[in-house]
Amino acid sequence: MADTLVIVESPAKAKTIGKYLGSKYTVKASMGHVRDLPKSQMGVDVTNNYEPKYITIRGKGDVLKELKDTAKKVKKVYLAADPDREGEAIAWHLAQYLGLDLSEPIRVVFNEITKDAVRDAFKHPRRINMDLVNAQQARRILDRLVGYNISPLLWKKVRKGLSAGRVQSVTVKMIIDREKEIKAFVPQEYWTITGKLLADGQVVEARFHGFGEEKAEIRSQEEVDQILKRIEGHPFVVKKVTKRERKRNPAPPFTTSSLQQEAARKLNFRTARTMMIAQQLYEGIDLGKEGTVGLITYMRTDSTRVSATAQAEAKAYIEQQFGPAYALKEARTHSKSETAQDAHEAIRPTSVLRTPDQVKAYLSRDQLRLYRLIWERFLASQMEAAVLDTMSVDIEVNGVLFRATGSKVKFPGFMKVYVEGSDDGGKEENVFLPPLEEGQVLERQAIEPEQHFTQPPPRYTEARLVKTLEENGIGRPSTYAPTLETIQKRGYVALVDRRFVPTELGEIVISLIEEFFPEILDVEFTSQMESDLDKIEEGMANWVKVLDEFYADFAPRVQAAEEQMEEVELKDELSDEVCDRCGRHMVYKMGRFGKFLACSGFPECRNTKPIVKSTGVICPSCQAGEIIERKSKKSRLFYGCSNYPQCEFVSWDKPLPRHCPKCSAMLVEKRRKKQGVQVACTQCDYQEETDA
């Protein structure tokens, strides 16, 4: 009979840890949080130091009874929830419920779920950290004070089912502000002039740079004509050749935020999906003969710190696989933001020796893709910098300066393994320049002027939004996934082509909050509040005082809003579409995945339809229907015939309204991660590159 009970959050974690600890330990799961504030009332006594009223979460009664019964039969109980604020709070709630002595060392934490790490952690238990508990408690109560006061107002004045939140509302405001910037943007005309010049038969592309030493912009066709006239008939002479050696360092190992961003860029993962898969890799994967092992360290962290043991293991692996030149001579340190918590290491493989190819057979496709990303990023962060030979050439023609730049990799370093992605999906290419010398005359092949217009700021992708939230100190990386889910579920924003677009409802709600609760939408205020919560965690601030300072200003605003906020009538936009069930006109509604059609007779008639978006391409299969956009059950875009189910033509690639010049078959637009967008024929080998 086991004499020690260990409580963790999840069955997967319990299973992994149970195998490491042996028969003297019983390991059980609390299934996450066990107590919370009630849903039916505020649950916070604002007149008594914000005393919270906790109740057992519905459905957790049987779990708690089983834990209590087991606790009575053992000599010792350890609480081994995750090593963060939430985990500390879960441990504290369990200790309260089970009547454990808080002065005893009953808390066990580990940053990775491997046999050595877990066994070592149980040799060094500690007391529950009340600073961590109070930080989580303050965050929960603060969010309840905001949500429970503003949400009922929105229900009453706008529509049922709405909500407001400290982090979610400022996130929606950022998306709305970006949309306003885009609408207010006035494009500015500008031109480039590219000279295609020949040096010993090799083409050198040089761009107009300015006049003499002065850089200049070209704003009109007239200016282009003046420059072309000035250089006509004059030789292109190499004025200056600058060669440099440039070092490029790798990106640091992942934090929660950078993992979410890179998984969105490179794997097209939503933030919630990234965190779910990372949790699986952390809690343990059955690797056959090796048993169940946690493959990565704890995935909720904003530190880039790496243990000396992991650095040494990586160095040995790099030397063996790539040679000593690729291994760091001394450990690399990364700068950290002022708001970063350094309690945990960066997200890294628990052992770099478990390569993605070695564990491939035991992982799902998505688990493997995310593990490979984490493994490669960590390995690259422990490798030497890449060395690039760069060359900049100034070419003068009658006082007009053109400039050509090129680079080539001299030593690949970390780039052998991994290169960080870009928010703009840009491609990195080597541009080689032939050997050039000062005074050399280049032959003119072609001069190509091109008109451009400045572009508005882009809408937020998930990656860009997460990055901006982190840069502004809004929320914590662990809260980003649920926040982005909530603002879509409430209908405040929609994802269109993987970018966030505010809805009319979102704009109305934010305008009301902005009028009556401006501090909730103030980025600096929200960031300062996060800083105060961090100070509570560090034992440098009193949680009751932090809440009091907020609520003293907030409570009168709630009272004023109750009296002054006017009701808003949301009118649905009428469509030409007629309901095929009751004959009434259908209206446009905004849902979680964008616009759809719904019957205006709701709730008597609940008919809905997707909005059909045509590609303008005749179906190549039946020659009668049109190819239209559709969405799979997992919301992935695909293309099918409008005559479905009579015609079952489908394509993941977007059909184009023109035919292949080689064989006259249908052309499609293919989106590839590395090559970008390509146009390809569905029948022959014809392909063409695009700038999209």
Side-chain angles (χ1 to χ4, degrees):
M1 174 69 185
D3 58 5
T4 304
L5 170 64
V6 179
I7 304 175
V8 297
E9 300 102 308
S10 75
K13 193 173 173 183
K15 183 182 173 186
T16 308
I17 292 167
K19 288 180 179 178
Y20 297 156
L21 295 177
S23 59
K24 289 185 179 180
Y25 293 80
T26 297
V27 186
K28 290 191 175 291
S30 70
M31 311 299 287
H33 280 275
V34 292
R35 298 197 307 175
D36 197 8
L37 299 172
K39 288 185 177 179
S40 57
Q41 54 183 277
M42 170 96 81
V44 178
D45 188 350
V46 295
T47 62
N48 183 26
N49 288 334
Y50 304 94
E51 185 68 31
K53 175 189 174 184
Y54 291 116
I55 62 167
T56 301
I57 293 171
R58 182 176 289 180
K60 290 295 176 75
D62 291 345
V63 173
L64 284 171
K65 183 178 182 303
E66 185 186 346
L67 292 175
K68 187 169 250 185
D69 290 345
T70 309
K72 288 174 183 174
K73 298 172 187 173
V74 298
K75 295 177 184 175
K76 189 76 182 172
V77 178
Y78 287 116
L79 306 170
D82 285 347
D84 58 9
R85 284 178 189 168
E86 295 294 318
E88 207 72 16
I90 290 170
W92 179 73
H93 281 296
L94 285 167
Q96 295 280 91
Y97 180 80
L98 298 174
L100 304 180
D101 187 349
L102 292 178
S103 66
E104 289 289 310
I106 55 174
R107 180 80 167 108
V108 176
V109 292
F110 29 80
N111 194 47
E112 57 186 70
I113 303 179
T114 56
K115 189 180 286 186
D116 290 345
V118 170
R119 287 182 173 177
D120 185 59
F122 276 88
K123 292 175 187 173
H124 306 96
R126 61 165 172 80
R127 293 177 184 175
I128 287 176
N129 183 333
M130 287 309 298
D131 290 332
L132 275 176
V133 174
N134 287 336
Q136 190 278 339
Q137 197 162 233
R139 178 186 291 277
R140 185 72 189 93
I141 293 169
L142 183 63
D143 288 341
R144 175 54 65 100
L145 292 174
V146 172
Y148 215 84
N149 279 293
I150 301 180
S151 297
L153 272 170
L154 297 176
W155 281 50
K156 200 186 299 180
K157 308 290 185 179
V158 186
R159 179 192 285 174
K160 282 189 176 181
L162 301 181
S163 70
R166 200 173 48 84
V167 177
Q168 77 173 51
S169 296
V170 76
T171 305
V172 176
K173 171 83 163 45
M174 285 167 60
I175 293 166
I176 290 170
D177 287 347
R178 176 55 57 91
E179 198 67 19
K180 286 177 180 173
E181 282 181 64
I182 292 167
K183 285 176 180 172
F185 183 80
V186 179
Q188 300 290 318
E189 179 186 11
Y190 72 98
W191 288 73
T192 56
I193 302 175
T194 303
K196 291 191 174 178
L197 312 169
L198 292 175
D200 298 325
Q202 287 184 273
V203 176
V204 175
E205 285 199 3
R207 275 202 170 186
F208 168 81
H209 185 74
F211 302 99
E213 299 297 321
E214 296 294 315
K215 188 171 173 27
E217 300 288 337
I218 311 173
R219 296 293 183 192
S220 66
Q221 172 81 60
E222 289 75 25
E223 290 180 23
V224 171
D225 292 340
Q226 286 171 13
I227 293 167
L228 294 180
K229 189 176 179 182
R230 181 167 171 178
I231 66 174
E232 185 62 42
H234 292 276
F236 284 79
V237 182
V238 175
K239 184 183 178 185
K240 188 165 112 184
V241 178
T242 307
K243 293 180 181 179
R244 285 197 184 96
E245 190 178 89
R246 184 168 67 87
K247 279 194 172 186
R248 180 177 170 187
N249 285 314
F254 282 128
T255 61
T256 306
S257 169
S258 59
L259 176 64
Q260 290 172 353
Q261 292 171 51
E262 195 74 337
R265 292 184 198 115
K266 290 198 169 185
L267 307 179
N268 283 334
F269 281 6
R270 304 285 302 279
T271 50
R273 187 175 171 198
T274 299
M275 294 309 289
M276 179 188 73
I277 297 165
Q279 183 95 30
Q280 294 163 0
L281 296 173
Y282 164 70
E283 290 187 341
I285 302 292
D286 187 346
L287 299 181
K289 289 181 182 178
E290 193 181 348
T292 305
V293 180
L295 290 182
I296 64 169
T297 53
Y298 191 53
M299 65 286 157
R300 290 186 178 90
T301 177
D302 46 12
S303 169
T304 55
R305 182 171 55 80
V306 174
S307 72
T309 307
Q311 287 174 343
E313 186 184 66
K315 184 175 183 179
Y317 178 85
I318 292 162
E319 285 177 345
Q320 184 186 2
Q321 295 295 318
F322 302 96
Y326 286 85
L328 287 172
K329 307 297 177 283
E330 54 185 64
R332 182 183 283 117
T333 55
H334 299 279
S335 59
K336 61 176 184 175
S337 70
E338 292 176 14
T339 57
Q341 302 289 296
D342 205 38
H344 313 302
E345 282 189 65
I347 303 169
R348 61 165 176 82
T350 51
S351 173
V352 80
L353 302 178
R354 289 190 198 96
T355 67
D357 288 340
Q358 284 178 338
V359 298
K360 184 177 181 178
Y362 307 102
L363 302 180
S364 70
R365 179 175 178 267
D366 283 351
Q367 286 173 340
L368 177 62
R369 292 170 77 202
L370 192 66
Y371 181 66
R372 190 181 295 280
L373 194 71
I374 293 166
W375 187 89
E376 288 179 351
R377 171 87 162 218
F378 169 69
L379 191 68
S381 77
Q382 301 304 302
M383 294 175 77
E384 273 290 359
V387 181
L388 304 172
D389 275 338
T390 65
M391 190 171 169
S392 175
V393 182
D394 286 354
I395 302 161
E396 194 174 45
V397 48
N398 195 26
V400 178
L401 191 69
F402 281 72
R403 179 168 288 173
T405 57
S407 67
K408 61 179 179 180
V409 177
K410 185 178 183 180
F411 173 68
F414 74 92
M415 293 170 72
K416 271 244 183 194
V417 173
Y418 173 92
V419 177
E420 188 177 26
S422 158
D423 278 326
D424 304 306
K427 293 181 281 185
E428 274 220 10
E429 294 177 358
N430 284 330
V431 178
F432 295 100
L433 291 178
L436 295 169
E437 296 175 4
E438 289 179 18
Q440 185 175 349
V441 177
L442 306 181
E443 183 186 335
R444 179 197 309 236
Q445 187 185 57
I447 303 295
E448 297 175 352
E450 192 175 352
Q451 184 186 38
H452 308 271
F453 290 93
T454 53
Q455 296 298 307
R459 284 173 172 158
Y460 288 110
T461 58
E462 281 207 355
R464 200 185 293 271
L465 187 56
V466 163
K467 185 178 182 182
T468 308
L469 289 170
E470 186 185 37
E471 285 172 350
N472 284 285
I474 298 166
R476 276 284 166 261
S478 57
T479 67
Y480 295 155
T483 297
L484 300 188
E485 289 293 307
T486 300
I487 62 176
Q488 290 173 79
K489 208 179 285 180
R490 296 282 183 265
Y492 297 156
V493 301
L495 267 182
V496 177
D497 294 332
R498 293 189 171 271
R499 283 169 168 77
F500 286 107
V501 180
T503 64
E504 182 192 12
L505 177 62
E507 289 175 351
I508 288 169
V509 167
I510 293 304
S511 69
L512 290 173
I513 296 174
E514 197 165 18
E515 183 179 351
F516 292 98
F517 306 99
E519 74 278 14
I520 298 297
L521 300 176
D522 187 307
V523 170
E524 283 187 26
F525 177 87
T526 309
S527 176
Q528 183 57 50
M529 189 58 71
E530 286 297 339
S531 177
D532 290 343
L533 291 168
D534 289 342
K535 285 175 184 172
I536 296 169
E537 181 174 325
E538 293 156 13
M540 294 166 62
N542 179 281
W543 71 275
V544 174
K545 190 180 176 188
V546 168
L547 290 175
D548 214 30
E549 285 175 1
F550 167 77
Y551 199 65
D553 289 332
F554 182 69
R557 292 186 187 278
V558 175
Q559 187 62 44
E562 283 275 6
E563 297 165 3
Q564 298 168 25
M565 191 183 285
E566 295 180 5
E567 287 190 28
V568 177
E569 187 181 352
L570 281 172
K571 290 183 179 178
D572 293 314
E573 185 187 345
L574 207 63
S575 78
D576 296 330
E577 193 88 14
V578 175
C579 176
D580 50 18
R581 289 189 191 170
C582 71
R584 282 178 264 205
H585 272 278
M586 301 194 87
V587 293
Y588 292 106
K589 296 272 188 184
M590 182 60 82
R592 189 177 172 190
F593 301 109
K595 276 189 174 182
F596 65 95
L597 288 166
C599 182
S600 58
F602 181 87
E604 293 85 19
C605 179
R606 295 175 177 267
N607 189 21
T608 62
K609 286 182 182 180
I611 295 171
V612 175
K613 193 172 176 184
S614 176
T615 61
V617 179
I618 301 298
C619 176
S621 180
C622 69
Q623 298 294 320
E626 253 189 297
I627 304 298
I628 58 174
E629 281 188 8
R630 295 185 182 277
K631 278 190 177 177
S632 69
K633 287 181 180 177
K634 292 187 177 179
S635 292
R636 186 179 169 189
L637 202 66
F638 72 98
Y639 302 88
C641 181
S642 59
N643 279 341
Y644 178 84
Q646 287 78 18
C647 176
E648 295 186 349
F649 172 84
V650 290
S651 169
W652 289 114
D653 301 315
K654 183 180 180 179
L656 298 175
R658 57 193 177 94
H659 297 291
C660 173
K662 196 170 174 182
C663 71
S664 299
M666 186 174 75
L667 291 175
V668 293
E669 196 177 76
K670 288 182 174 285
R671 292 185 175 270
R672 305 186 190 278
K673 285 190 184 71
K674 290 183 179 176
Q675 296 96 327
V677 180
Q678 286 183 319
V679 171
C681 179
T682 52
Q683 298 292 332
C684 72
D685 60 358
Y686 176 77
Q687 284 188 346
E688 57 186 66
E689 299 295 326
T690 77
D691 295 325

